[in-house]
């Protein structure tokens, strides 16, 4: 089974949340591991097939724990559709304080909200030494404890969810072509605001084509087996399983199922 490593600074709710977030779509098709930079020994090596980090600069922090930066992905994150609608209902033109756990993540949150089209209000990045007595409303992604106590109202948009674009990269790099993942990805897309316009329409198109191909694949009179270049099985239709009396193909290699003389040819 392929594996994904999530690297965060230390043990926190973020690492747990991101693991649960990945499992919403990938289910039990991938092993997901959490790693915490502050807890890693100098000689430790992260050997997962993919490694996920929050921001670019963390690549430098983990460089001694990985073999290659080629399998490292910087997660792109977004917000839930329900939170987006709540933000759109804020009266236009008012100043709103944006609060996260440090200056860098606060700046990232402001940039994300602007990218998502929240431009009808004035987004003010929170700084610890700043004075914000004239502001009455704050937005925070699950970090209420950092919001100044004198603010009248706080909109907590919750943890930022992994954007669909990151899932596409994961699925592509790990060759995860399971039909269940495509179905769950389609459901997931209905819950979030994608960073890329037209993504929902594209996903629906992919889903329909996937269903059509799956139907033709299963109805074929011939046994069909699809593998990657290493012989790892990606798909086998019903007829193939019947011909070779196979009950389970997950995480199997064709060398385990077919006579060696067939493979050598």
């Amino acid at each position: 089974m392929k594996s994904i490593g999530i690297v965060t600074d230390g043990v926190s709710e973020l690492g747990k949340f991101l693991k649960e977030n990945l499992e919403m779509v990938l289910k039990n098709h991938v092993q997901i591991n959490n790693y915490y930079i502050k807890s890693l020994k100098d000689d430790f090596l992260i050997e997962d097939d993919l490694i996920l980090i929050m921001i670019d600069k963390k690549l430098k922090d983990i460089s001694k724990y990985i073999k290659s930066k080629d399998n490292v992905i910087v997660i792109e994150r977004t917000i839930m559709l329900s939170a987006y609608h709540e933000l759109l209902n804020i009266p236009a033109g008012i100043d709103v304080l944006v609060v996260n756990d440090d200056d860098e993540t606060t700046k990232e949150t402001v940039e994300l909200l602007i990218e998502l089209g929240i431009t009808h209000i004035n987004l003010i990045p929170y700084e610890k030494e700043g004075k914000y007595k004239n502001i009455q409303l704050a937005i925070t992604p699950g970090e209420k404890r950092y919001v100044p106590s004198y603010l009248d109202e706080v909109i907590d948009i919750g943890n930022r969810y992994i954007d669909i674009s990151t899932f596409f990269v994961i699925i592509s790099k790990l060759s995860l072509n399971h039909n269940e993942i495509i179905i769950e990805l389609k459901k997931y897309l209905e819950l979030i605001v994608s960073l890329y316009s037209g993504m929902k329409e594209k996903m629906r198109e992919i889903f329909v084509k996937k269903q059509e191909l799956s139907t033709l694949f299963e109805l074929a009179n011939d046994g069909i087996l699809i593998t990657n270049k290493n012989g790892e099985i990606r798909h086998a239709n019903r007829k193939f399983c019947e011909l070779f009396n196979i009950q389970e193909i997950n995480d199997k290699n064709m060398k385990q199922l077919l006579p060696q003389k067939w493979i050598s040819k």
Side-chain angles (χ1 to χ4, degrees):
M1 180 180 289
K2 297 295 179 66
S3 65
I4 295 174
I6 303 170
V7 183
T8 51
D9 286 333
V11 179
S12 66
E13 287 300 311
L14 175 60
K16 178 183 177 183
F17 169 78
L18 291 172
K19 181 175 181 180
E20 292 172 349
N21 192 176
L22 288 170
E23 289 172 344
M24 288 174 66
V25 173
L26 304 179
K27 299 295 183 181
N28 60 347
H29 295 290
V30 177
Q31 174 68 41
I32 302 171
N33 304 307
N34 285 104
Y35 302 98
Y36 310 106
I37 295 175
K38 294 177 181 178
S39 303
L40 297 179
K41 296 181 179 179
D42 288 341
D43 60 348
F44 186 81
L45 188 64
I46 301 174
E47 298 185 296
D48 296 274
D49 297 293
L50 284 181
I51 300 169
L52 307 186
I53 58 177
M54 302 302 105
I55 53 178
D56 284 314
K57 77 172 189 177
K58 291 300 175 185
L59 183 57
K60 181 179 179 181
D61 296 338
I62 69 169
S63 59
K64 63 181 177 181
Y65 304 116
I66 62 175
K67 293 179 179 179
S68 170
K69 65 180 181 180
D70 293 338
N71 64 338
V72 177
I73 298 175
V74 179
I75 296 175
E76 291 197 77
R77 292 194 285 166
T78 185
I79 63 175
M80 297 295 280
L81 189 60
S82 55
Y84 182 71
H85 288 156
E86 189 173 4
L87 297 182
L88 289 178
N89 286 327
I90 298 174
I94 70 170
D95 292 341
V96 179
L97 194 64
V98 179
V99 183
N100 210 330
D101 56 352
D102 61 37
D103 291 346
E104 185 170 3
T105 55
T106 295
K107 180 182 176 183
E108 287 177 1
T109 304
V110 170
E111 292 173 349
L112 170 62
L113 295 177
I114 292 173
E115 189 174 358
L116 292 176
I118 305 299
T119 56
H120 66 294
I121 54 179
N122 304 317
L123 299 170
I124 312 298
Y126 172 70
E127 296 177 356
K128 290 182 181 179
E129 305 303 321
K131 303 297 181 183
Y132 306 101
K133 295 292 185 179
N134 295 326
I135 297 179
Q136 299 178 333
L137 173 63
I139 297 171
T140 182
E143 301 291 355
K144 276 188 174 183
R145 64 187 183 277
Y146 295 106
V147 177
S149 58
Y150 53 79
L151 264 70
D152 296 332
E153 185 181 356
V154 179
I155 295 179
D156 188 350
I157 60 176
N159 280 309
R160 290 172 289 163
Y161 280 69
I162 299 172
D163 187 60
I164 200 78
S165 58
T166 297
F167 274 110
F168 279 156
V169 174
I170 292 171
I171 290 169
S172 174
K173 284 185 173 290
L174 297 184
S175 300
L176 300 173
N177 297 318
H178 306 282
N179 194 51
E180 183 185 10
I181 291 178
I182 301 300
I183 292 172
E184 294 302 325
L185 195 61
K186 183 173 179 288
K187 292 178 184 176
Y188 181 77
L189 189 53
E190 299 299 326
L191 300 175
I192 65 167
V193 183
S194 177
L195 296 174
Y196 299 92
S197 61
M199 192 62 78
K200 286 189 178 182
E201 290 72 18
K202 188 65 177 177
M203 189 63 214
R204 290 191 186 99
E205 181 183 334
I206 292 172
F207 180 75
V208 170
K209 288 182 178 179
K210 177 81 174 178
Q211 291 298 96
E212 291 174 349
L213 288 172
S214 179
T215 300
L216 292 172
F217 187 70
E218 288 300 323
L219 292 178
N221 292 323
D222 297 321
I224 302 174
L225 176 70
I226 300 175
T227 72
N228 64 14
K229 63 182 180 180
N230 298 317
E232 296 169 345
I233 295 175
R234 292 294 171 240
H235 297 288
N237 69 349
R238 176 183 52 79
K239 188 66 175 179
F240 180 89
C241 293
E242 288 177 357
L243 288 170
F244 291 91
N245 194 28
I246 296 169
Q247 303 298 322
E248 179 62 49
I249 62 168
N250 288 338
D251 302 317
K252 291 279 197 313
N253 191 289
M254 66 177 180
K255 293 179 182 178
Q256 299 171 265
L257 304 177
L258 300 176
Q260 184 61 40
K261 62 180 180 179
W262 291 10
I263 297 173
S264 61
K265 291 180 179 180

